[in-house]
Structure formats: C-alpha cells, structure tokens
Amino acid sequence: MKPQQISTQKFAEHYGYQASQTVFAPGRVNIIGEHTDYNDGFVMPCAINYGMAVSFSKRDDSIWRVYAIDIEQHDEFDLSQPIEPSKHKWANYVRGVVKYIQAKYPEFKQGADLAMASDVPMSSGLSSSAALEISIGKTAQLLGELPLNLTEIALIGQEAENKFVGANCGNMDQLTSALGQKDQLIMIDCRSLAITPTPVPQGYSIAIINSNVKHDLVTGEYNSRRKECEFAAQFFGVKALRDVTPEQFIERAHELQRENQLAYQRAKHVISENHRVLEAVKALKANDMQKLGQLMAESHNSMRDDFEITIPEIDYLVELAQVAISKNGGARMTGGGFGGCIVCLVPNDKVEHLRQIIAENYEKQTGIKETFHLCTACDGVHLV
Ligand code: GLA
C-alpha cells in the first residue's frame, strides 16, 4: 500500500472520522553535486516516488494531534502556546516547522488532527526528514490558507532542521522535496535558488541501491566538513567556495595545503564538484551519457579521497555498479555520506544485469544484504 493510502485509512481508524485532505512530499536522490549546497554551489537532484503522506482535518481549537503511523507514536501541542522541543526527535521536525511558520505568520493557530506515513528509508541519504518537513509545511499552509510559496516552505523546513532539530543541513533536500518536477533532474543554484530542469535521459533508469549501513557519527562529521569549507572560503577571501574558480584554486592550492591540509582537500572537492555539476548539465543536454558517467565516477572518487565521506561498503557497491553499467551511464554515492545509498543512471536494458551483479556479490563480500529501488523523477509536494 502507498503511504497516502495508509495515512488516509489509519487516520479514519485512529480518529474515528475521515481526513479532509492528504498531502504527499517526496524524498530525493542527488545525481551529482554533493556537499556543495551549503557552499552556495550547484546540485542536480530529483524528487523520487518515495515520500511522506500526511492526512489531516481542521479542529475547532488550536491543538495539533499528530499520529506517526510507522512508529506508532503520538505528539500533541498547542499553537496558542510557545512551541517547545519534544523528547521525540521526529516530533521536533513537525513542531519546528510550525514554530517557524508562526514566526512569519503569528496569527497561524489553526488546530488539526494529522496522521502520517512514509516509505522513505530512514538514515540512508534519501531525505526522509525533508519529506517530513515539507509535508508538514504544506499542510500548515493549507490549514491556515497562508500565502506561502513552495520555496518559502522549503526554507522554513531548512530553518526548522537547523535551529529546532539541530542539524546544520543545506537547502538542497527541502528545495527538491518542494519543487521537484516529474521526469526532470533539477539543477539548483543554491545561492540564487534558480532551478534548471533537464529531462531524465531517454532509455535510462534511476536505480538506488541502499548499502543498509547506517552511521552514528554523521552529524559531527557533517559539521566538521562545513567548518573546513568555511575555513577555505576565508582563506580565499570569499563569501563561499562557490566564488572560487578551479583556476583560482590551483593558483593558491599549495599555500592552503601548507596551512590546513583538510581545508585544502575539502575545497578541492567542492570546487571541482561545482564544476562537474555544470558539466553534467551540458552532457545531459548533448545526450552524452559516457561523459555523464565519467563525471559521476570523478564525483565519487573526490568524495572518497578528498572529502572523505564514503565507507568501504559504499565504494564496493559503486565499483560493482560501474562494472555492470560499463561506459554509458554511471554510479556514485548519493547524500550526506558515511553509509546510505548509491545512485545509478543505467540503460533500461542493463537494469536486471545491475541488480544481479549486486545481488551476487555485495552480501557475499560485506555480510549485509542491499536493497534495490528503481525510481522515477517526480513532482514536489502536492495534494493527493
Ligand atoms: C545532506 C544535507 C544536504 C546536503 C547533502 C550533501 O543530505 O541535508 O543539505 O548537504 O547532505 O550533499
């Protein structure tokens, strides 16, 4: 059953009446452009056909009752009181979004009953949390008939995650969940927030393979990468690494390396990755899938060697996938890193071969069974 069917059905069972509306917000997969968003750079993700569904109805008071179906937990808070953190992490995504909507629209106090269900695997780099934030943002916008556009909903989601949940993420995941487009990869300029859609290449599928390795130290590693990038931006005297061209980087690379080896490596990744995203757009436009595959491979190597966010299981999955896909199309790790998923752009007639090669080798080598998902590029948050 799809999440929207589950949330509708469970809403009725749980509250004893029918939900008036259901919203669906997708997760995302990033094709190329990793750890560039918080450097004001470029990314090229798409929204996927896995996401969070929220069924809801207005109440005639200011209470929100929230039922998280998948984990059988509840939250309740009053919009006419200051919104405080909950002891449940998932509930803080909900409360945080409502809090920052109220910061913009203090008159928003509309109570509601909500039931939510998701099929985005958690902690695997597919943005289950952004799907939650954006589904709640859209729900609140509809409940209060607020004049919020999708970009604003995305930025409120990011603000909630940064300030209320305490994860210092960039803006890619929320923008993609809000503004994804059917059958399109969306290149986002994370500074101007301009979006350039490029069709998913004809005859190709998007495969996501979950290593099923979850990492506990992700937040600390993520924050230290951000600091190292900030150090490098200061070294170059710019607002963000987006403002350093590959040529400018090469000119002062040795100097930076002497001063701070890690900042050098992180900057090398970010600056080259921004360039690869722009090259990837050109390759897609020219239908040059060999070039796109090379760019994905370079991106992976750069994450492995310079940004140091891959793990052996993920490197192995990428190697297997690259062999299976061969020249046209490619594979790389996707998302924040330290586990999670790889993404593949694979010719339709090689999908089964890819699935088989991974099934035959990955578990044998690592002792962990992978999960294989075929995805389609989807629209961002919408009513169902
Ligand atoms: C996580 C963050 C994003 C982005 C990616 C890495 O998904 O939430 O903002 O930084 O990592 O590209």
Side-chain angles (χ1 to χ4, degrees):
M1 251 207 296
K2 291 185 168 169
Q4 51 268 43
Q5 293 166 317
I6 298 175
S7 65
T8 314
Q9 191 180 316
K10 291 281 179 185
F11 182 103
E13 281 172 25
H14 186 71
Y15 294 110
Y17 68 98
Q18 297 292 333
S20 60
Q21 286 179 306
T22 297
V23 150
F24 179 84
R28 64 100 190 91
V29 69
N30 191 17
I31 303 299
I32 194 161
E34 221 64 80
H35 286 261
T36 44
D37 61 350
Y38 55 81
N39 290 294
D40 281 4
F42 306 104
V43 294
M44 195 167 63
C46 65
I48 55 176
N49 50 323
Y50 291 82
M52 170 67 79
V54 178
S55 297
F56 60 94
S57 275
K58 275 186 183 175
R59 294 169 56 87
D60 43 20
D61 57 18
S62 55
I63 308 279
W64 268 40
R65 294 194 295 179
V66 189
Y67 173 31
I69 298 161
D70 310 319
I71 46 174
E72 286 285 336
Q73 286 189 6
H74 299 87
D75 188 35
E76 187 171 320
F77 58 99
D78 187 343
L79 273 61
S80 60
Q81 303 292 323
I83 296 179
E84 303 292 344
S86 150
K87 63 178 191 298
H88 297 300
K89 188 171 178 200
W90 68 268
N92 285 332
Y93 292 97
V94 179
R95 291 183 181 207
V97 168
V98 175
K99 186 180 175 87
Y100 288 103
I101 285 182
Q102 282 190 327
K104 241 183 149 116
Y105 299 101
E107 69 285 2
F108 174 62
K109 296 195 171 80
Q110 177 60 55
D113 287 334
L114 300 86
M116 48 194 217
S118 166
D119 61 356
V120 190
M122 283 176 47
S123 308
S124 51
L126 301 177
S127 297
S128 56
S129 42
L132 171 52
E133 290 151 12
I134 301 309
S135 62
I136 292 298
K138 182 68 189 169
T139 297
Q141 184 263 319
L142 290 167
L143 282 168
E145 293 169 34
L146 305 171
L148 274 172
N149 67 32
L150 292 172
T151 305
E152 290 168 321
I153 291 177
L155 297 179
I156 287 172
Q158 184 199 7
E159 192 174 8
E161 185 151 348
N162 291 169
K163 297 187 187 159
F164 203 78
V165 179
N168 214 6
C169 63
N171 57 17
M172 164 172 70
D173 307 345
Q174 292 79 8
L175 287 167
T176 313
S177 180
L179 292 156
Q181 297 181 24
K182 189 172 168 9
D183 299 328
Q184 306 285 321
L185 306 177
I186 54 171
M187 197 277 269
I188 310 175
D189 177 333
C190 296
R191 174 174 278 169
S192 72
L193 309 186
I195 289 184
T196 312
T198 315
V200 175
Q202 283 260 328
Y204 280 78
S205 301
I206 302 168
I208 297 174
I209 306 165
N210 193 337
S211 68
N212 288 320
V213 178
K214 292 177 184 166
H215 199 276
D216 288 339
L217 301 169
V218 175
T219 315
E221 297 284 2
Y222 191 90
N223 290 341
S224 62
R225 295 302 182 286
R226 283 195 73 140
K227 289 220 173 70
E228 287 146 10
C229 291
E230 281 160 21
F231 181 97
Q234 269 181 11
F235 172 88
F236 284 102
V238 293
K239 181 167 173 279
L241 285 177
R242 148 75 173 271
D243 301 309
V244 183
T245 63
E247 295 74 28
Q248 289 166 334
F249 177 71
I250 289 167
E251 233 167 71
R252 296 191 63 200
H254 285 308
E255 200 187 323
L256 174 58
Q257 192 169 15
R258 273 196 303 274
E259 196 164 313
N260 185 330
Q261 170 68 26
L262 283 183
Y264 157 79
Q265 286 179 220
R266 308 316 186 218
K268 185 172 167 220
H269 165 74
V270 170
I271 293 162
S272 61
E273 185 79 350
N274 273 332
H275 184 67
R276 281 188 287 273
V277 176
L278 301 177
E279 289 294 300
V281 174
K282 287 189 211 156
L284 280 167
K285 289 222 162 97
N287 208 14
D288 186 346
M289 293 306 288
Q290 193 167 340
K291 174 77 182 170
L292 190 75
Q294 279 164 13
L295 292 165
M296 289 175 81
E298 284 168 23
S299 168
H300 185 82
N301 296 346
S302 175
M303 292 191 286
R304 183 191 61 207
D305 302 336
D306 289 326
F307 219 66
E308 297 180 294
I309 51 171
T310 73
I311 55 168
E313 291 86 346
I314 285 281
D315 293 335
Y316 183 57
L317 269 183
V318 166
E319 272 168 42
L320 289 173
Q322 285 170 343
V323 170
I325 294 167
S326 179
K327 273 200 186 130
N328 293 322
R332 60 183 279 284
M333 187 195 82
T334 187
F338 305 100
C341 294
I342 73 163
V343 61
C344 310
L345 270 178
V346 50
N348 293 342
D349 59 6
K350 284 195 173 151
V351 169
E352 280 319 309
H353 179 58
L354 171 67
R355 194 198 296 266
Q356 201 184 335
I357 292 232
I358 306 280
E360 278 168 9
N361 294 284
Y362 178 70
E363 189 179 8
K364 213 185 276 169
Q365 171 88 8
T366 62
I368 310 165
K369 181 76 190 137
E370 78 284 356
T371 321
F372 191 100
H373 305 274
L374 266 191
C375 282
T376 49
C378 292
D379 282 329
V381 66
H382 55 273
L383 271 171
V384 289

